[in-house]
Amino acid sequence: MNKWIITFVIILFILSGCQQGIEKKNVHEQEQTSKNDIEKTANESQQVTEQMDPNFLLEAQYFNEIKMVNGEAIIQNPDNVLVLVNKEFTLPSDYIPNDLTIPNVPFSFGDLDLPKRYMRKEAAKALEQLFAAASKNGINLYGVSAYRPYEHQQSLFNQEVSKKGKEEAALAVAEAGHSEHQTGLSIDVTSESVQFQITEKFGETAEGKWLAEHAHEFGFIIRYPKGKEQITKYQYEPWHIRYVGKKAAKVIYENEITFEEYFEKVKKI
């Protein structure tokens, strides 16, 4: 009887060891499969990235960071040089760029020290280079309106509403918080050939044509181009240029797209 008990115990021990071995093998195989799946996913992701046009890969820091407040999409990183401001995304009402400076270029209102004379430092330097290059080509440009505080933009919008009604006014003037002028990265420009006015006729002048063809070389884009009104939600404005940096400006210009379309195409890296 004792022999049978001993034999039975030995058999159980052997079977238990085999089972543990099988379980360890299964765990190892599962771990290896998971590892292979992770590596496969990473490789596929890398391949997709490598296959994409590098012009449409953009670092995460350049995308809007949004917080919903009372139904409005408020931009949390307004200092971002590629901040997308439009009818959908709103700047904080208290946002004022901390590096505003006066670009050394001629303005249509002379030497008056007004808020609309200021731009963010990087944009101001690029504007100086743009105006200098234009001058060398016999093109004389003048600044009209750059930075606008939130309150001033609201006043301008209200004035336009009183003249044309809200619906029509919204096609020409941005509501407070939705204006690129508050970023300090945009400026309206004009020329003597249109009596220093802000008009679509500027786009037909030698100055307007030169600006449309060369602004991107200095990091600027025509923010509201003709034929793209359904996308930008604003009328054609050949006078309004926006600084986005040379890389983004080149891509936008060469692909004939708007700033909105650019952000629809770029992938975050």
Side-chain angles (χ1 to χ4, degrees):
M1 179 65 73
N2 289 339
K3 286 183 178 181
W4 286 110
I5 293 174
I6 294 171
T7 302
F8 181 70
V9 170
I10 292 172
I11 292 172
L12 285 177
F13 179 77
I14 293 172
L15 289 175
S16 175
C18 290
Q19 182 64 31
Q20 289 179 3
I22 292 171
E23 289 176 352
K24 287 181 180 180
K25 180 180 179 183
N26 289 339
V27 169
H28 176 72
E29 289 177 348
Q30 289 175 359
E31 290 177 347
Q32 188 63 39
T33 299
S34 297
K35 183 179 180 181
N36 291 339
D37 288 343
I38 293 172
E39 291 178 350
K40 181 180 179 182
T41 301
N43 289 335
E44 288 176 348
S45 178
Q46 183 177 355
Q47 288 174 5
V48 169
T49 300
E50 290 174 350
Q51 290 171 2
M52 287 186 62
D53 185 341
N55 289 320
F56 288 103
L57 296 177
L58 186 64
E59 293 85 348
Q61 70 193 63
Y62 294 116
F63 287 79
N64 282 357
E65 295 175 10
I66 298 299
K67 180 179 180 181
M68 297 303 297
V69 180
N70 298 324
E72 283 199 295
I74 308 298
I75 299 167
Q76 302 300 296
N77 55 334
D79 284 331
N80 165 23
V81 76
L82 288 181
V83 60
L84 177 60
V85 181
N86 54 21
K87 292 184 184 291
E88 181 181 357
F89 301 116
T90 310
L91 291 165
S93 59
D94 60 351
Y95 175 65
I96 300 174
N98 61 13
D99 60 346
L100 290 173
T101 188
I102 298 177
N104 184 23
V105 300
F107 280 82
S108 61
F109 51 85
D111 297 327
L112 296 175
D113 188 1
L114 301 173
K116 63 182 180 179
R117 194 183 195 92
Y118 288 74
M119 294 188 78
R120 286 187 57 185
K121 188 175 181 179
E122 183 178 342
K125 182 178 180 180
L127 187 74
E128 291 173 354
Q129 296 171 348
L130 170 64
F131 274 44
S135 182
K136 287 182 179 179
N137 285 273
I139 300 295
N140 297 313
L141 299 172
Y142 292 82
V144 176
S145 182
Y147 170 69
R148 289 183 204 149
Y150 181 94
E151 295 76 15
H152 182 51
Q153 187 66 35
Q154 187 63 60
S155 177
L156 289 177
F157 182 75
N158 291 340
Q159 290 175 24
E160 197 72 8
V161 170
S162 65
K163 295 177 184 177
K164 303 178 179 179
K166 188 171 183 179
E167 186 174 344
E168 190 173 345
L171 296 175
V173 180
E175 293 190 55
H178 295 272
S179 172
E180 284 199 328
H181 286 280
Q182 190 184 342
T183 67
L185 297 169
S186 289
I187 184 171
D188 296 335
V189 299
T190 188
S191 63
E192 189 174 359
S193 59
V194 288
Q195 293 75 53
F196 305 106
Q197 296 179 356
I198 292 299
T199 171
E200 284 190 15
K201 292 181 180 179
F202 174 70
E204 302 169 8
T205 65
E207 294 87 353
K209 291 177 180 178
W210 187 92
L211 184 67
E213 292 176 6
H214 298 280
H216 69 282
E217 297 170 9
F218 304 89
F220 289 91
I221 59 172
I222 304 297
R223 181 64 178 88
Y224 307 114
K226 182 179 288 188
K228 298 283 189 175
E229 293 85 352
Q230 292 300 314
I231 297 172
T232 64
K233 307 303 181 184
Y234 288 103
Q235 65 185 24
Y236 167 50
E237 295 186 359
W239 62 83
H240 181 107
I241 58 175
R242 158 68 193 271
Y243 181 75
V244 296
K246 291 182 179 180
K247 180 181 177 181
K250 183 174 184 290
V251 173
I252 290 170
Y253 173 79
E254 292 181 348
N255 288 275
E256 298 181 350
I257 57 177
T258 63
F259 204 25
E260 280 80 9
E261 290 172 302
Y262 173 74
F263 271 102
E264 288 176 359
K265 290 178 176 291
V266 290
K267 302 299 180 183
K268 190 180 294 186
I269 56 173

